Amino acid sequence: AAPRSFFPPAARRWGSADGVSMTTRAIGFDLGERDEDTSRGDVEALALIEDAASVLFLQDPLRHECSQAYLALLQQISLKAGPNKLFSAYGEFFRSLRRSGKASFADVVLDEIIAGRGNPVAEAVARTGASISSVAPVDLAAVAADLDLLQRLCVSEATILKWCERAAAAASPSRRQPASWVAAASALGVREEGADVGA
């Protein structure tokens, strides 16, 4: 099947003509990473929370400890929380991702999707041994929509960090984290050379 493209939340919600196209591949997400992120973190975070609330079948990936910490962090960003709450939520996300043993939040979500827990379509196919062609079109459409929503939800750790730094700098009084903290946080989501992708 041909890859399907869509635009990130900012382009989708505001009709940006210069949105970066992202492509769903056979397994994995192409996030179309951009270092020059100029989006408003609070608005984007709220859009991502709405996307998470819209998932129809694939809720289990969002129940993972790391996903819950990620959603709590997005909530703090969307509320323009003060630095204390913001960096506390970021710290919980950082720790939960490190505990998961995965390189990125997208890896956590992908592993949960592949496991198929709580996915009625995957469970029905596994239980009956039926082929995917026997699944009702409405169920397949729901799973496809969920995959699109989950892909949009997987914003890079670098972008999330930028949103946190911008929100803290805009707070009154503003807050800048020490360079050592920024260095550690910047390493989150970055794959080490030779690291096993599925580790």
Side-chain angles (χ1 to χ4, degrees):
R4 297 176 5 176
S5 295
F6 70 96
F7 293 98
R12 173 179 49 93
R13 296 190 191 283
W14 296 285
S16 171
D18 62 346
V20 174
S21 176
M22 291 189 269
T23 305
T24 305
R25 294 183 290 201
I27 193 87
F29 295 152
D30 176 8
L31 300 174
E33 297 299 322
R34 298 183 311 182
D35 285 336
E36 69 280 359
D37 174 43
T38 58
S39 62
R40 286 191 45 205
D42 59 322
V43 174
E44 290 296 317
L46 182 57
L48 294 172
I49 291 167
E50 291 169 356
D51 285 345
S54 301
V55 171
L56 300 167
F57 274 150
L58 303 177
Q59 293 98 353
D60 269 32
L62 300 177
R63 292 186 181 114
H64 189 278
E65 170 196 11
C66 188
S67 298
Q68 290 295 300
Y70 182 79
L71 292 171
L73 175 57
L74 290 177
Q75 183 72 27
Q76 294 304 316
I77 294 169
S78 73
L79 294 172
K80 299 180 184 178
N84 186 34
K85 288 183 178 181
L86 190 64
F87 289 126
S88 177
Y90 187 89
E92 185 54 39
F93 170 63
F94 183 96
R95 288 185 297 278
S96 68
L97 184 55
R98 297 305 301 148
R99 279 191 301 267
S100 77
K102 304 299 176 203
S104 69
F105 176 65
D107 289 345
V108 170
V109 172
L110 281 171
D111 281 356
E112 291 297 308
I113 290 169
I114 291 167
R117 290 182 292 271
N119 177 346
V121 173
E123 290 171 353
V125 169
R127 184 177 52 252
T128 65
S131 73
I132 196 74
S133 62
S134 66
V135 176
V138 67
D139 292 342
L140 290 177
V143 169
D146 285 356
L147 290 172
D148 285 344
L149 290 168
L150 291 171
Q151 179 172 347
R152 281 202 304 251
L153 191 62
C154 292
V155 174
S156 76
E157 286 77 6
T159 297
I160 296 292
L161 177 59
K162 286 178 190 177
W163 292 348
C164 289
E165 289 180 308
R166 283 187 205 145
S172 180
S174 68
R175 166 75 186 190
R176 291 184 56 92
Q177 292 294 78
S180 58
W181 185 95
V182 173
S186 296
L188 195 62
V190 176
R191 293 194 195 288
E192 296 175 20
E193 279 193 42
D196 182 13
V197 173

